[in-house]
């Protein structure tokens, strides 16, 4: 984002000068062609005249503009908000459409009047910012950057304090979400476990007074008994890393201080998933660079929390490895031992996410007393079949954590859907040769993966698992990382702090 954003309680325009060109004024109209938000004044009248002389119907995201030179030289754009009763569900689409319509102007005033509440304002502003996101670092010819320099949100409110706070959190969220998208979009020859650790180091440096970084390599992880993690990592020439970021948002950071019952975020960071010896088919395998989407989301969330200065203790643990076939790779049938002593028979080396995560979950429980643990992972294709790309799956053993996550998902429209953890599903996880196999049958594949993780959660430890295989990236022609569920997680953590 190269433009500034601000909220105002009314529309006041300065006389344009040579250096400050006249702005574009954006209004919204419903599907009856009426302007939203009780906006008034000469500019609103211009917008009404513009609607009256056109065939504009206020259809969602349709727009009409005049770049008129009358009055003070400002231009007018009216964007269709569609049917009012559906506006709540369309607010993000409208945010993206608004960005498109203003990006070629230097300054824009977005006139919501009294039509937008704080929650929808946050969703709208984040969608607008996200529409400006680009990942073009590898093109030799850069596309021209957009002209936009300043966006002013005009919301008719007596007090702007809450809207200013909402915008400030939105900007922090956008920064974190963009960081997550950058990490996940990066090519897998460039983004490997070591370079991911370097990115975490940069983050730790940027917020050094509150953040402490520890990176464990394979030697240390072997010593700690992380046999499951190592079974995935050892087939790759790239060294696996366990990346630990401590954020002291509540406890003051000193040389000796420790986090006080932090919330723990754990992310699956498979920087490329070939499937290992249980090799994946080649079609679309490039998209397995997104298999560190959980790690990206947790690092992005951490960055947003640092940026917003949320008063909470947080520990973020990233299990970063590459899943490759090689002479050193794990074979189907190999038996390894997790950090907590559980023996695991690896029946399918493509079910690697749960293997790196289980040791990370053991580590975080052994070294912290987490208030609750949230893990995020692009864990199963079965989750994509079940929920598609609309909602992330959430599994939890704790009602408070689950409710808080779902509430944050609703608030940000970064939605979740609860899935079951019944023992009857866990019953599929029976091995003839070890405590656990790493896969069940094909039936309920996302659920048995979650049951596998649950095995490593200690009695009484609150925990939730997010399967984001369908939501972390878009596949096909518009492929790319979404940065989900950063918005939900930032909102969740903010609510936990207050
Ligand atoms: N990373 C994949 C899951 C995935 C699939 C994410 C499609 C995004 C899109 C995961 O490591 C995997 O391969 N899971 C297997 C598990 C199976 C072997 C039990 C799967 O879903 O097929
Ligand atoms: Mn896999
Ligand atoms: Zn994977």
């Amino acid at each position: 984002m190269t433009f500034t954003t601000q909220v105002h309680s009314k529309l006041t325009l300065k006389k344009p000068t040579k250096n400050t060109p006249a702005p574009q004024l954006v209004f919204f109209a419903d599907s009856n062609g009426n302007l939203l938000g009780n906006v008034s004044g000469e500019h609103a009248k211009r917008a009404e005249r513009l609607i009256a002389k056109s065939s504009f119907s206020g259809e969602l995201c349709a727009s009409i503009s005049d770049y008129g030179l009358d009055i003070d030289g400002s231009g007018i754009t009216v964007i269709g908000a569609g049917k009012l009763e559906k506006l709540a569900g369309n607010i993000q689409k409208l945010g993206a459409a608004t960005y498109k319509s203003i990006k070629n102007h230097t300054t824009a005033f977005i006139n919501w009047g009294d039509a937008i509440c704080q929650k929808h304002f946050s969703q709208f502003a984040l969608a607008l910012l996200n529409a400006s996101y680009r990942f073009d670092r590898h093109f030799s010819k850069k596309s021209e950057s957009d002209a936009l320099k300043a966006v002013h949100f005009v919301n008719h409110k007596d007090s702007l304090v809450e809207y200013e706070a909402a915008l400030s959190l939105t900007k922090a969220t956008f920064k974190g979400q963009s960081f997550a998208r950058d990490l996940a979009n990066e090519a897998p020859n460039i983004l490997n476990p070591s370079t991911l650790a370097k990115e975490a180091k940069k983050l730790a440096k940027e917020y050094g007074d509150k953040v402490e970084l520890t990176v464990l390599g394979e030697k240390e992880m072997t010593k700690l008994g992380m046999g499951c993690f190592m079974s995935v990592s050892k087939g790759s020439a790239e060294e696996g890393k366990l990346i630990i970021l401590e954020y002291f948002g509540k406890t003051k950071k000193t040389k000796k201080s420790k986090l006080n019952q932090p919330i723990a975020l754990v992310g699956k960071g498979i920087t490329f998933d070939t499937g290992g010896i249980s090799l994946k088919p080649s079609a679309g395998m490039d998209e397995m660079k997104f298999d560190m989407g959980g790690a990206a989301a947790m690092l992005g969330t951490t960055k947003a929390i640092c940026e917003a200065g949320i008063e909470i203790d947080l520990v973020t643990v990233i299990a970063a490895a590459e899943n490759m076939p090689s002479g050193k790779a794990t074979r189907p049938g190999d038996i390894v031992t997790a950090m907590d002593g559980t023996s695991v028979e690896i029946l399918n080396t493509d079910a690697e996410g749960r293997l790196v995560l289980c040791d990370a979950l053991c580590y975080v429980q052994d070294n912290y007393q987490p208030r609750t643990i949230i893990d995020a992972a692009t864990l199963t294709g079965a989750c994509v079949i079940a929920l598609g790309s609309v909602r992330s799956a959430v599994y939890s053993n704790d009602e408070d954590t689950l409710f808080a996550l779902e509430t944050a998902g609703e608030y940000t429209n970064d939605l979740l859907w609860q899935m079951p953890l019944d023992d009857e599903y866990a019953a599929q996880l029976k091995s003839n040769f070890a405590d656990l196999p790493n896969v069940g049958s094909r039936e309920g594949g996302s659920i048995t993966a979650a049951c596998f993780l649950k095995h490593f959660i200690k009695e009484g430890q609150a925990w939730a698992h997010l399967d984001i295989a369908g939501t972390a990236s878009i596949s096909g022609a518009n492929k790319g990382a979404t940065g989900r569920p950063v918005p939900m997680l930032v909102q969740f953590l903010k609510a936990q702090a207050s």
Side-chain angles (χ1 to χ4, degrees):
M1 179 182 78
T2 48
F3 55 92
T4 61
T5 51
Q6 234 182 307
V7 262
H8 305 271
S9 57
K10 60 178 194 285
L11 178 64
T12 40
L13 300 178
K14 288 194 191 122
K15 277 236 145 52
T17 67
K18 254 192 215 148
N19 300 325
T20 57
Q24 193 69 10
L25 311 181
V26 177
F27 291 89
F28 299 97
D30 65 17
S31 54
N32 297 319
N34 297 320
L35 292 185
L36 260 52
N38 293 312
V39 288
S40 60
E42 52 187 337
H43 295 293
K45 286 209 183 87
R46 285 170 69 200
E48 274 164 355
R49 285 199 296 275
L50 184 61
I51 296 171
K53 71 180 184 200
S54 73
S55 57
F56 178 75
S57 66
E59 191 190 324
L60 183 66
C61 297
S63 71
I64 40 165
S65 293
D66 97 39
Y67 306 107
L69 295 167
D70 59 330
I71 312 187
D72 49 16
S74 59
I76 298 269
T77 294
V78 183
I79 301 179
K83 290 205 170 97
L84 280 190
E85 63 272 23
K86 294 211 167 144
L87 184 57
N90 287 328
I91 207 87
Q92 289 168 308
K93 281 188 194 129
L94 211 51
T98 302
Y99 180 77
K100 263 194 198 155
S101 75
I102 60 175
K103 65 180 186 176
N104 296 325
H105 300 276
T106 320
T107 308
F109 283 81
I110 298 175
N111 292 281
W112 271 110
D114 61 11
I116 199 160
C117 64
Q118 212 183 313
K119 164 175 128 173
H120 289 139
F121 173 64
S122 299
Q123 289 181 15
F124 175 87
L126 184 58
L128 189 149
L129 294 175
N130 273 331
S132 74
Y133 174 84
R134 242 159 231 116
F135 186 81
D136 55 7
R137 61 175 71 147
H138 294 302
F139 291 107
S140 52
K141 273 198 197 117
K142 297 274 171 281
S143 51
E144 234 175 90
S145 50
D146 299 335
L148 196 60
K149 288 279 171 287
V151 177
H152 303 271
F153 298 98
V154 185
N155 301 336
H156 297 171
K157 303 290 160 188
D158 295 336
S159 163
L160 280 181
V161 180
E162 287 173 346
Y163 283 77
E164 272 161 357
L167 184 58
S168 152
L169 187 66
T170 299
K171 283 195 245 186
T173 303
F174 173 62
K175 212 167 171 180
Q177 192 171 358
S178 299
F179 180 49
R181 294 172 83 177
D182 283 349
L183 292 174
N185 281 327
E186 187 53 281
N189 60 326
I190 298 173
L191 194 104
N192 54 48
S194 298
T195 52
L196 189 61
K198 272 190 196 143
E199 291 294 332
K201 196 170 179 180
K202 273 194 229 160
L203 199 159
K205 210 169 165 197
E206 194 177 349
Y207 304 97
D209 52 334
K210 287 191 181 168
V211 177
E212 185 68 32
L213 171 77
T214 310
V215 178
L216 304 184
E218 294 193 345
K219 247 193 187 159
E220 289 147 303
M221 284 191 273
T222 305
K223 235 189 195 160
L224 285 170
M226 297 185 159
C228 284
F229 181 100
M230 284 305 300
S231 75
V232 176
S233 197
K234 69 181 196 156
S236 169
E238 296 293 342
E239 192 189 332
K241 303 280 179 190
L242 193 77
I243 305 164
I244 303 124
L245 279 165
E246 297 176 331
Y247 168 71
F248 292 79
K250 197 158 189 192
T251 304
K252 196 175 156 40
K253 188 191 159 200
T254 65
K255 279 217 170 99
K256 282 190 189 156
S257 63
K258 287 204 161 118
L259 295 177
N260 180 23
Q261 296 193 304
I263 292 185
L265 303 178
V266 177
K268 169 179 173 183
I270 298 297
T271 61
F272 196 73
D273 181 12
T274 64
I277 297 299
S278 313
L279 193 65
K280 285 184 181 296
S282 50
M285 207 206 275
D286 63 294
E287 291 183 20
M288 281 300 128
K289 73 171 180 177
F290 297 130
D291 211 21
M292 33 63 72
M298 292 324 198
L299 288 171
T301 299
T302 306
K303 182 165 187 152
I305 294 305
C306 290
E307 188 67 22
I310 305 287
E311 292 180 10
I312 196 167
D313 280 3
L314 187 68
V315 58
T316 304
V317 179
I318 304 301
E322 191 180 51
N323 189 20
M324 296 290 258
S326 81
K328 287 187 179 164
T330 290
R331 295 153 284 257
D334 282 3
I335 295 174
V336 295
T337 306
M339 193 176 172
D340 72 348
T342 304
S343 62
V344 177
E345 184 190 14
I346 298 173
L347 293 175
N348 189 322
T349 64
D350 198 10
E352 84 297 340
R354 62 199 77 181
L355 294 172
V356 298
L357 283 173
C358 70
D359 277 333
L361 290 169
C362 291
Y363 180 87
V364 81
Q365 291 173 98
D366 276 9
N367 289 280
Y368 301 88
Q369 283 129 28
R371 249 209 279 168
T372 185
I373 303 173
I374 317 293
D375 78 68
T378 49
L379 204 60
T380 64
C383 184
V384 188
I385 302 299
L387 296 178
S389 60
V390 180
R391 289 178 186 252
S392 308
V394 58
Y395 297 85
S396 183
N397 64 358
D398 179 64
E399 270 182 33
D400 291 344
T401 303
L402 177 68
F403 182 73
L405 287 169
E406 286 181 329
T407 305
E410 297 285 339
Y411 193 89
T412 52
N413 202 37
D414 185 1
L415 297 167
L416 306 178
W417 195 257
Q418 189 197 356
M419 300 277 277
L421 278 169
D422 302 294
D423 291 342
E424 286 80 354
Y425 290 105
Q428 280 192 23
L429 296 176
K430 284 233 163 67
S431 161
N432 290 336
F433 303 104
D435 298 341
L436 274 183
N438 78 325
V439 293
S441 71
R442 266 166 56 80
E443 287 176 22
S446 173
I447 306 169
T448 49
C451 291
F452 181 92
L453 296 178
K454 185 171 170 248
H455 174 93
F456 296 89
I457 301 299
K458 302 211 166 85
E459 191 71 38
Q461 172 64 60
W463 158 78
H465 157 60
L466 303 167
D467 193 336
I468 58 169
T471 52
S473 64
I474 294 169
S475 63
N478 286 323
K479 73 180 81 168
T482 61
R484 285 179 67 185
V486 170
M488 181 280 290
L489 287 169
V490 173
Q491 182 62 33
F492 164 77
L493 291 168
K494 196 210 148 211
Q496 293 292 307
S498 49

